[in-house]
Amino acid sequence: QVQLVQSGAEVKKPGASVKVSCRASGYTFTTYAMHWVRQAPGQRLEWMGWIRAGNGNTKYSQKFQGRVTLTRDTSTNTVYMELSSLRSEDTAVYYCAPLLGGYFDYWGQGTLVTVSS
Amino acid sequence: EIVLTQSPATLSLSPGERATLSCRASQSVGSSLAWYQQKPGQAPRLLIYDASNRATGIPARFSGGGSGTDFTLTISSLEPEDFAIYYCQQRSNWPPEYTFGQGTKLEIK
């Protein structure tokens, strides 16, 4: 069965960076793109971007272009999301979700990132 | 960017009643629309994809309809576990981006 295990909660200061990991299992990792979606408290879900796990190609939402970097490690089936120049508005739960069938039918458990001075 | 607008923001109904949720796109998305259910502290759960197809394991009381810019999610007879927040989501081929609606909270009346 598909499983996505994300790293634990983080607390960061404004201006810092955060790197969240997502380890995938239960499907052929390199065949599919991994997407990242975040949700600020009480807000809608917000798509951030994807990385093709096979070749490492990336596509980012214009909102996050220049601040987000997605990378992957095919030896451990892990994708990383790094967000820089953090501000309070980046406080959110960050989810990874592979696009296996055209939509997000599997999600990680979410990682809470809190940005606070 | 395609904007999805959901209505109503909050829907108050009783178990056993029928729920109809709406999602309107700022431009046509064809049938490339999905619906998700989210409960507090949980990740979203895919209910409907391609506007009208139920995802694996989703009960038959959930149905989706519409195409182009106007879509609906219908829950024929509400069960206690259906009270949650529902989001619509579209995927555009070009640019290849994904957007979500702001959500409809379905609460017990």
Side-chain angles (χ1 to χ4, degrees):
Chain A
Q1 71 281 21
V2 175
Q3 285 194 315
L4 303 151
V5 179
Q6 297 183 222
S7 50
E10 303 262 13
V11 179
K12 296 292 183 181
K13 293 194 182 300
S17 297
V18 68
K19 193 169 186 177
V20 179
S21 68
C22 170
R23 183 164 186 164
S25 61
Y27 69 97
T28 305
F29 178 73
T30 52
T31 299
Y32 300 95
M34 185 72 78
H35 293 243
W36 287 83
V37 176
R38 79 174 188 180
Q39 188 172 37
Q43 300 302 307
R44 74 176 71 191
L45 297 155
E46 191 170 31
W47 176 77
M48 300 179 69
W50 52 252
I51 180 168
R52 294 192 193 279
N55 60 15
N57 285 355
T58 55
K59 165 67 177 175
Y60 303 125
S61 167
Q62 283 197 336
K63 177 174 179 175
F64 300 100
Q65 190 82 39
R67 280 210 305 143
V68 68
T69 303
L70 300 181
T71 57
R72 93 285 189 226
D73 180 348
T74 56
S75 68
T76 60
N77 286 4
T78 302
V79 172
Y80 300 91
M81 186 283 298
E82 184 169 20
L83 188 62
S84 62
S85 302
L86 290 169
R87 34 204 187 236
S88 59
E89 309 89 89
D90 293 318
T91 293
V93 176
Y94 291 77
Y95 294 100
C96 62
L99 204 72
L100 303 185
Y103 295 92
F104 304 118
D105 36 7
Y106 296 97
W107 297 70
Q109 84 274 19
T111 296
L112 175 62
V113 175
T114 303
V115 183
S116 174
S117 54
Chain B
E1 176 184 310
I2 296 175
V3 177
L4 298 178
T5 303
Q6 292 185 240
S7 61
T10 303
L11 186 57
S12 300
L13 294 170
S14 301
E17 290 192 291
R18 181 185 187 89
T20 302
L21 288 65
S22 295
C23 177
R24 175 163 289 179
S26 58
Q27 61 190 82
S28 177
V29 300
S31 296
S32 297
L33 188 111
W35 290 92
Y36 298 83
Q37 176 193 69
Q38 188 178 36
K39 296 181 180 179
Q42 297 184 15
R45 173 193 182 197
L46 179 66
L47 300 175
I48 301 288
Y49 66 94
D50 287 342
S52 60
N53 296 295
R54 272 190 305 277
T56 303
I58 302 303
R61 64 181 183 273
F62 291 92
S63 63
S67 65
T69 60
D70 290 292
F71 300 86
T72 57
L73 172 69
T74 301
I75 310 171
S76 59
S77 178
L78 286 166
E79 297 288 341
E81 61 268 27
D82 298 337
F83 292 92
I85 299 176
Y86 292 83
Y87 294 95
C88 57
Q89 174 248 317
Q90 69 84 26
R91 58 188 179 104
S92 60
N93 289 327
W94 194 260
E97 295 196 348
Y98 302 76
T99 54
F100 292 84
Q102 83 280 18
T104 289
K105 182 179 182 180
L106 179 56
E107 63 177 25
I108 299 177
K109 187 174 181 180

